[in-house]
Amino acid sequence: MEKAPAPKPVTARWLMNAAQFYLARYSASEAGLTAVLRRKATKRAGVPPDAEALALIAETVATLRGAGLVDDSAFAAARARTLQRKGLSEGSARQKLAAKGVDREVADAAITEAGFDETAQLLAAARRLRTAAFSDPGAELSEKDKA
């Protein structure tokens, strides 16, 4: 039987590389990046991160925040605009931003800045559902739509 590979240490350099690689592909809030780094550290070491590893994770996130690579307000503003274009309500957008770890005050500012409009949200939902004026008049109705 093969031996399981020995767990590797979680170092500050490894955490910085992992964080930069992640941020090159995805935008993230501070809480989101912290959660990602905790999962990666657990996977690398084979056990949940200890106090030293948690301190290194916090230090890495603080360094990236200071460099401007992690900015909750910019993340929330971009995410709020995306959610607004999708036609979500303010309440749904607030919940989604909270799930991403964005503070309530930052989320409220981003939602206000995005300018959620109830009429635009209803129109987007109607387009998505292809109801009334947004349906294709020449299209055949499916059995589900006929019911």
Side-chain angles (χ1 to χ4, degrees):
M1 239 168 84
E2 290 184 33
K3 280 181 145 181
K8 297 178 183 176
V10 176
T11 63
R13 181 179 176 146
W14 179 83
L15 282 169
M16 185 60 74
N17 288 341
Q20 288 175 342
F21 180 77
Y22 183 81
L23 291 173
R25 296 191 61 170
Y26 309 102
S27 61
S29 64
E30 288 181 38
L33 182 61
T34 301
V36 167
L37 292 177
R38 287 179 79 152
R39 279 193 306 271
K40 286 180 173 283
T42 299
K43 187 174 181 180
R44 181 174 175 94
V47 294
D50 57 2
E52 182 182 343
L54 292 175
L56 288 174
I57 290 170
E59 182 182 321
T60 301
V61 172
T63 301
L64 293 170
R65 183 184 341 106
L69 295 175
V70 178
D71 183 5
D72 277 1
S73 59
F75 172 78
R79 192 76 184 125
R81 285 191 302 271
T82 299
L83 297 172
Q84 189 265 340
R85 278 193 308 273
K86 285 184 174 185
L88 267 67
S89 67
E90 286 185 34
S92 295
R94 243 182 223 96
Q95 287 177 341
K96 293 210 179 261
L97 289 172
K100 294 287 185 181
V102 177
D103 288 336
R104 185 172 180 84
E105 296 82 28
V106 175
D108 288 343
I111 288 170
T112 302
E113 181 185 319
F116 278 73
D117 179 24
E118 186 175 340
T119 304
Q121 293 165 4
L122 291 173
L123 286 172
R127 280 189 196 97
R128 216 175 32 251
L129 297 173
R130 295 186 180 122
T131 59
F134 301 105
S135 63
D136 184 8
E140 287 284 326
L141 291 177
S142 68
E143 291 299 317
K144 179 179 160 188
D145 291 336
K146 288 179 184 177

